[in-house]
Every structure is written in structure tokens, then in C-alpha cells.
Amino acid sequence: MLEIKQLSASLEDGKVILNGVDLTVPSGEIHAIMGPNGSGKSTLSYVLSGRDGYEVTGGSATFEGKDLLDMEPEERAAAGLFLAFQYPVELPGVGNANFLRTAFNAQARARGEPELDAVKFLRAAREAMKRLAMPDDMLKRNVNVGFSGGEKKRNEVLQMAMLKPKLAILDETDSGLDIDALKIVADGVNALRGPGFSALVITHYQRLLDYIVPDRVHVLSAGRIIRSGGPELAKELEATGYAPMVADAA
Amino acid sequence: MSAALRTGTESFLARFEGLRARLPGDLVARQAAAEAFRSAGLPTVRDEAWKYTSLRPLADNDFREALTSVEGGSLPKIPAIEGPRAVFVDGRLREDLSSLPDTLHFTRFANDPSFGTLSRPDQQPVVALNTMLAEDGAVISVAEGVDAGTLVLVSLAAETEGRSVTFHPRHTIRLAEGAKLTVVELSVGRGRYLHNPVFSIEVASDATLTHIRLQNEAMEAFHLATIYATVQSRGFYDAFTLTLGGQVSRAEFHARLVGPNATVHLNAAQLLGGKQVGDVTTVVVHDAPNCASRQTVKNVLTDKARGVFQGRIEVERIAQKTDGYQMSQALLLSPDAEIDCKPELQIYADDVKCSHGATIGELDDDQLFYLRARGIPEQEARSILIRAFLDDALQSVSHEGAHALLEQAIDGWWQRQSASAA
């Protein structure tokens, strides 16, 4: 599904952030990326989703065999890539329902699939919201405007549920969530779990991985994957912290 | 005055001399206006009130008077909106194209040529020009307590064998106590022309006039509108202007709140490209206590376009508990676009709340990326953010048909911009 080889990237000022990342996420698997602050976790998610401001200096990233780095952000989304933002952006003046439907139909158009009319779309959105314990009025409000931290994260998961990506990158989706919201968000991800769905869960803490149990865990440090293992690796990190592992790799 | 502006002034004065015998109504008032226009001339950027908007491109034209009859076939389409309408072609009422409601009294200026007392041709040369040359216009009155519904007031400029014409309609709207009316004013046209309307508006106690203006003139045209309004106790004048057309345009409002608890809204949006100059100038005078005024003016500017907002609020000594608010926001979509913004507050009362603010910005990269990361193509994402920027100004337009028309016009503007950028 996702194949990253020797991916290196720097900021526009030349500062190197990613330094030869190797990572393969097979179809149907959920992988976690853990790592200390400044290890390049968010940069990896931005480079994969196509945000401006980063220069890829080497390596490759392919998605279902297609060169991901050569695609516009909207093409990546239509191909089935979804980034759940660490800091979801507020869009004053843009209604949430309209935003969701516009996104859904833009992707459908790009894939040559039929668009959904407003009535059918609203019905589907309301069902998804019920599962995420989101009040109906969140559809009427402007995108993320006046939402609490937890509501913003749930809104990301709602978008994911509606857009049904093949690969979701969750960038610290657990930050700012209380335990109830964390469970709801985890349920939202687990509901998509299946043969056609992969996820890259980026997190600081092991806690989220109690609810979204990953197939593999990778440790990112100084722009490289320094360890990979099963879910037990997350437990080990929780016990020892990153320092011994980072020291070993150096 | 520059040579071009002097020539422009003289050609308008010559026109007045040629037409004066045929013009309806009070020749004394016209003569006085002509004298004022002769001594002031077309405004120049040295005039404080016209510092940001040059009329030189207007003076460079060899304008003629509007032809008395227009041959069919070359009329631009009237924008689609339901309801009774008064249609003016090159400034003259076309009864065959109009359908007037029986809820209000309508006559044409040509038959009832009164200039009223609100306008100040001695102070505004553009109004003096209108007073000199006005031939026709809508004279509308709504009786006490009557809800007259909606009237669509259409100005069409016909393209007439490449001749540049000018027309100077003189409109009067009077609402008696408790009356209600919505006027949807549409200006469209073809070719190069000057549309120079003057409105005199009187809103009596407890009356509400909603005035929605869509200025979608031809790109080569000039649109210079001056609107005078007085609002009595608890009356409400609610104006919204959308400016899309014209190479140089100005909507100048003079609103007086003369009875307690009166309200005026002068909201506007300008979407300009190319080398267009669009000017919104407002003077709101609070001349009674407990009145409120609201102005939100949005500019979306691309290419080398220039937006101007000059907003003055005067609070007289008697006008305690005034609540005045003014906000100017500009979205610059190109490095060569420009906004000039001049707020002025003159406050003589001591217990008032008056605020003003101005923001200038570009489209937000984070917002753009967020939309694109959800699969929305860049051009569509930009148009969504522009529409969002306009949202709080557009929300003030609650009239359904007019709102839909404004949305369509904004969509059309964006499509033209995208097409010319591609």
C-alpha cells in the first residue's frame, strides 16, 4: 500500500528533518510511529500529504505503486490518502456539512464515481456522527470554528469516516483528548479496519495504542526509523523512555 | 485641474447648454448645479474626497448623450430575479420592459421632475453633473403601514454602434411611517458609458427600506452613484452593495439618522480584477440619540485592481448612546493589488460607542492546504475561501432572490478570474 524508501526531506531553509526513512505499510495493516519531539513525525505526515514548505532531497514514496511525491495534495486525497491533522484548521464562513460534501464530491469526481446529493449525503453524515457521539449541530457550524480540542479531533475522524480513505495518517490525533474522546476516536478508526484500509498512527504516547492496537510499531529518531517491532515495542518505550533506544542507535 | 479633466468638464457643460431647453423640471436648480460644476469641475485627486479615485479615464472619453430610442437586439440580458420591475435603458424608463407593483406609487422623473432637498450639488460635483443632465428616474413612494414587497430596479446600458453614452438617472424613494420595501438595484451594460445615478431616500418612522445593489456594469464603463438617505425614529435603511463591474466606480452614501433609535447598515463587497478601481465612500451622520450604524466593507482584489473605502462617522452633540461600527477587510490575491482605506470618526457627544477596524490579508496557506488535503482542487479551494471571506457581509442580505443573485454573480466573477488566469 505505502512504500517509503530512503526518504529525505528538509525545510526550505535547508534544515534536514527526514534523513533516509524506510517504511512499508502493507494493505490492511495499522502501523504506529512513535518518537521524541523533533524526530520528524509531523514532517513525515506533511511530506506524504503534500504540504508546501518541505523539499524532498532524496528517496521515494509510492502509494499503490504510484509516485506519491509527484501528486498534488488533492490528487493524493482522491487516490485514497487521508491526513488527520494534529491541529485541525478553522474555516470561518465555511459550513461543516458543505465542506464535507464538497470534499466527498471532489474526490468522487476525480475518481469518476457518482457524486452524492445533499439529502443522501446528510443522511450518511448523521449516521457517522451518531457513532462518533457528535451532536447534529456540528454539521451546521463553521468548520472547526469554536470547536473544543476534542470536537476538532472528532471532526477529523468524521471526515475520515465519510471519505473512506485507503490509507489514513493520524498525526497525534490523541493529543488533547480525554479518555472518553480517545475511545470514541479509536472506535472510529477501528470501524474502518479491514483488508482495504491501512493507517499510520503517529503518537507520543502508548495510551492510544491500547485502543488502536497496531500491527507494527516504528521508532523515529533524528529523521530515521531506528527500531521496528510488534505492539510490545510500545510497552517497552513506555517503560524505558526513548533515551536508551536513541543512544543505542547513535 | 488637468487639461483632460477640464476638457471633460467643458464637454459636460456644453452638453447641458445643448440640452437645456429639452430637460424637464426646474431650470433654476439645473443652472445652479451647472455653475457649481463649472467652478468645481470633475473632481481630481487633489480633492480630499477623491484622493484615491482618479476620474481622468472618464474625462478622456468623447461621450454623447443617450440616444432617445434604442433599436432592439442589442440589450444585455436582465439578471434572473423574480418580481415586479422598473427597467431603464440608457437611463430612460422602458414601460414595455417593466411591470410595476400596485403596492406602491410609481412615477417617472420625466413626469415628476423634482430634485428634492437632500442632495448637495454644491458640494459634490458628481451630483451637480447629475442635477444638470438628469432626464429620467424612478420616483417611488410607499404609503403608511404598507409592506410593498420587492421592486427590482434595472439599469441597462445598451451598446449603440460603439457610441459612448452617459446617463444620469434621478431616483427618489419615500417610505411613509411603518412602510416596508425592498429595492433590488441591478446595473448591467455593454460598451463604454457613464452611469451616474443619484438617489434621494427618505425613511419615515418605523419604516424599513432594504436596498440591495448589484453593480455589474461593463468592464469599460464608469459608475458613479451617490445615495442620500435620511432615517427617522426607529426607521431602518439597510443597504448592501456588490461591486463587480466598471473600470472606475464609486458608491457614495450620505446617511443621516435624524430620529431616536434609527438604524442604518451600509455594507458592501467589491470584487475587482484587471486595472479596475472600485470606491465605497460613506458618510454617516448620527443626529439623534440611541441610533446604530453598521458598516462592513469587504474587498477582494486581484491583478492590479484597487479598492477604496472611505468611511466617516459623525456623531453630533445630541446623539448620545450612539452605537457605530465600521470594519474594512481586504483580501489581496496578487502582489500588485492595492487597498486604500480611510476611516474617520468625528464625535461631539460624550456617551457613545464607536469602533472601526481594518484588516488586509492574503489567502491563508494553512486553510488552503486543509481543503486540498481533503481532495478539493486548488482553484475550487480558493473560491471557497474567497466566498467564506465574504460570508459575514453577505449574510446581511436576507432577501432570498437577491441573495441567490449575488451568489451567482460572485461565482461568475470567480469563473471569469480563473479562466483569465488559466
Side-chain angles (χ1 to χ4, degrees):
Chain A
M1 174 78 59
L2 176 68
E3 212 168 341
I4 302 171
K5 283 184 184 155
Q6 283 298 304
L7 184 64
S8 296
S10 38
L11 295 179
E12 279 169 342
D13 64 11
K15 189 180 177 209
V16 176
I17 308 285
L18 299 180
N19 196 9
V21 174
D22 280 303
L23 181 65
T24 300
V25 183
S27 189
E29 289 192 6
I30 291 184
H31 288 206
I33 293 189
M34 304 182 72
N37 280 329
S39 59
K41 300 190 301 292
S42 284
T43 297
L44 180 62
S45 67
Y46 286 144
V47 168
L48 292 177
S49 53
R51 191 192 187 111
D52 281 344
Y54 302 94
E55 197 189 336
V56 175
T57 52
S60 65
T62 59
F63 181 63
E64 296 189 306
K66 285 173 285 193
D67 180 3
L68 200 56
L69 303 178
D70 198 34
M71 296 158 82
E72 297 292 339
E74 55 267 31
E75 294 172 333
R76 301 180 199 203
L81 181 80
F82 180 90
L83 170 65
F85 282 61
Q86 184 180 357
Y87 303 108
V89 177
E90 297 185 4
L91 301 176
V94 181
N96 212 18
N98 205 15
F99 164 65
L100 259 174
R101 192 160 76 90
T102 304
F104 184 95
N105 284 338
Q107 292 197 15
R109 243 186 349 261
R111 293 193 289 256
E113 293 166 6
E115 299 182 25
L116 271 190
D117 66 42
V119 177
K120 280 188 185 137
F121 183 83
L122 271 180
R123 198 179 301 141
R126 289 221 174 86
E127 278 168 28
M129 288 174 77
K130 210 170 283 167
R131 287 197 296 275
L132 291 165
M134 292 168 73
D136 259 11
D137 79 325
M138 277 174 77
L139 274 182
K140 289 186 199 129
R141 287 156 66 182
N142 286 342
V143 178
N144 294 327
V145 178
F147 286 29
S148 69
E151 284 175 331
K152 284 182 182 173
K153 295 301 175 75
R154 267 185 272 180
N155 203 30
E156 294 292 288
V157 177
L158 170 67
Q159 292 167 41
M160 184 173 70
M162 294 301 297
L163 296 172
K164 296 194 174 57
K166 293 176 184 164
L167 173 70
I169 302 170
L170 294 107
D171 187 4
E172 299 197 21
T173 298
D174 50 339
S175 68
L177 290 187
D178 60 30
I179 197 76
D180 294 331
L182 188 72
K183 281 182 187 164
I184 290 165
V185 163
D187 286 349
V189 177
N190 289 328
L192 293 173
R193 237 177 157 145
F197 176 75
S198 311
L200 202 52
V201 179
I202 293 171
T203 181
H204 268 297
Y205 302 108
Q206 186 256 335
R207 194 178 62 170
L208 175 66
L209 305 181
D210 288 342
Y211 299 99
I212 305 173
V213 180
D215 297 290
R216 298 282 288 167
V217 175
H218 310 276
V219 179
L220 189 70
S221 172
R224 286 189 310 123
I225 304 285
I226 56 168
R227 281 265 313 262
S228 296
E232 70 286 351
L233 183 56
K235 307 261 191 226
E236 186 188 329
L237 276 170
E238 189 77 356
T240 65
Y242 291 111
M245 218 174 273
V246 171
D248 277 357
Chain B
M1 207 189 307
S2 75
L5 287 166
R6 194 175 310 117
T7 312
T9 301
E10 278 161 13
S11 78
F12 282 119
L13 286 164
R15 175 101 54 79
F16 172 59
E17 292 307 322
L19 281 176
R20 54 186 293 160
R22 292 181 7 212
L23 291 167
D26 181 359
L27 251 181
V28 177
R30 291 187 190 270
Q31 192 62 50
E35 286 313 315
F37 186 70
R38 187 188 310 280
S39 69
L42 277 172
T44 78
V45 292
R46 284 197 210 98
D47 295 301
E48 186 58 27
W50 290 83
K51 188 175 171 186
Y52 304 103
T53 301
S54 170
L55 292 182
R56 280 201 61 154
L58 171 69
D60 285 343
N61 286 275
D62 179 19
F63 284 118
R64 294 153 195 257
E65 62 178 299
L67 301 176
T68 40
S69 66
V70 177
E71 299 305 318
S74 68
L75 286 183
K77 240 177 77 185
I78 299 174
I81 180 167
E82 298 281 306
R85 62 194 54 203
V87 178
F88 289 79
V89 175
D90 290 344
R92 291 195 180 82
L93 182 69
R94 279 280 295 266
E95 283 175 21
D96 56 320
L97 301 174
S98 304
S99 61
L100 295 162
D102 49 18
T103 51
L104 49 75
H105 184 259
F106 183 98
T107 176
R108 56 194 290 186
F109 178 85
N111 296 336
D112 182 11
S114 159
F115 293 106
T117 56
L118 295 183
S119 74
R120 299 302 302 268
D122 54 327
Q123 291 179 8
Q124 274 97 32
V126 161
V127 175
L129 179 61
N130 172 287
T131 306
M132 251 168 36
L133 295 170
E135 288 178 65
D136 208 353
V139 180
I140 297 162
S141 52
V142 181
E144 190 177 330
V146 171
D147 181 347
T150 301
L151 177 68
V152 183
L153 183 62
V154 184
S155 165
L156 301 177
E159 185 161 38
T160 318
E161 293 158 10
R163 286 161 62 109
S164 297
V165 299
T166 78
F167 44 98
H168 312 263
R170 190 80 182 198
H171 304 298
T172 300
I173 305 172
R174 287 192 203 92
L175 268 58
E177 282 183 24
K180 271 198 172 63
L181 176 65
T182 296
V183 171
V184 181
E185 182 197 346
L186 309 173
S187 300
V188 294
R190 290 210 194 105
R192 178 181 297 226
Y193 55 89
L194 165 65
H195 180 196
N196 169 222
V198 169
F199 284 82
S200 295
I201 292 170
E202 293 170 50
V203 179
S205 302
D206 300 296
T208 296
L209 176 65
T210 304
H211 187 185
I212 300 156
R213 312 182 63 242
L214 170 55
Q215 191 272 77
N216 207 356
E217 308 275 20
M219 282 300 159
E220 280 188 277
F222 301 87
H223 178 99
L224 301 174
T226 311
I227 294 119
Y228 296 91
T230 59
V231 189
Q232 306 278 350
S233 308
R234 297 173 306 278
F236 182 17
Y237 176 54
D238 184 8
F240 179 88
T241 299
L242 176 62
T243 297
L244 301 176
Q247 57 169 301
V248 177
S249 70
R250 169 138 147 164
E252 179 171 334
F253 290 86
H254 296 263
R256 287 187 87 87
L257 298 156
V258 296
N261 300 100
T263 305
V264 62
H265 290 183
L266 304 178
N267 297 314
Q270 305 198 98
L271 281 66
L272 307 171
K275 292 182 177 174
Q276 281 181 287
V277 178
D279 177 333
V280 174
T281 292
T282 65
V283 179
V284 176
V285 181
H286 284 258
D287 203 4
N290 291 305
C291 293
S293 61
R294 293 276 175 278
Q295 300 172 68
T296 300
V297 177
K298 304 261 184 177
N299 277 279
V300 177
L301 306 167
T302 184
D303 305 328
K304 294 184 172 174
R306 210 149 56 75
V308 178
F309 173 56
Q310 310 184 94
R312 188 156 90 228
I313 303 177
E314 296 175 14
V315 181
E316 303 294 348
R317 203 176 297 274
I318 188 178
Q320 301 295 356
K321 306 282 182 196
T322 283
D323 179 4
Y325 172 85
Q326 190 186 81
M327 174 56 79
S328 158
Q329 295 180 310
L331 193 56
L332 303 184
L333 301 178
S334 106
D336 296 324
E338 181 181 320
I339 172 82
D340 297 295
C341 176
K342 188 175 81 171
E344 274 182 283
L345 302 180
Q346 283 181 16
I347 301 174
Y348 299 105
D350 51 19
D351 182 14
V352 304
K353 195 170 80 183
C354 265
S355 63
H356 67 88
T359 67
I360 299 174
E362 301 169 23
L363 285 182
D364 184 287
D365 284 340
D366 288 337
Q367 294 181 336
L368 207 51
F369 177 65
Y370 192 63
L371 289 162
R372 295 179 69 191
R374 294 295 173 259
I376 299 169
E378 184 173 0
Q379 285 301 315
E380 193 178 351
R382 285 177 179 275
S383 83
I384 288 171
L385 292 178
I386 290 168
R387 176 59 191 77
F389 169 77
L390 297 171
D391 197 60
D392 48 340
L394 275 172
Q395 268 178 9
S396 67
V397 180
S398 56
H399 186 278
E400 232 171 83
H403 194 104
L405 196 67
L406 296 177
E407 296 276 9
Q408 265 172 35
I410 290 167
D411 275 355
W413 181 83
W414 177 250
Q415 277 161 20
R416 286 197 301 278
Q417 293 304 317
S418 318
S420 69

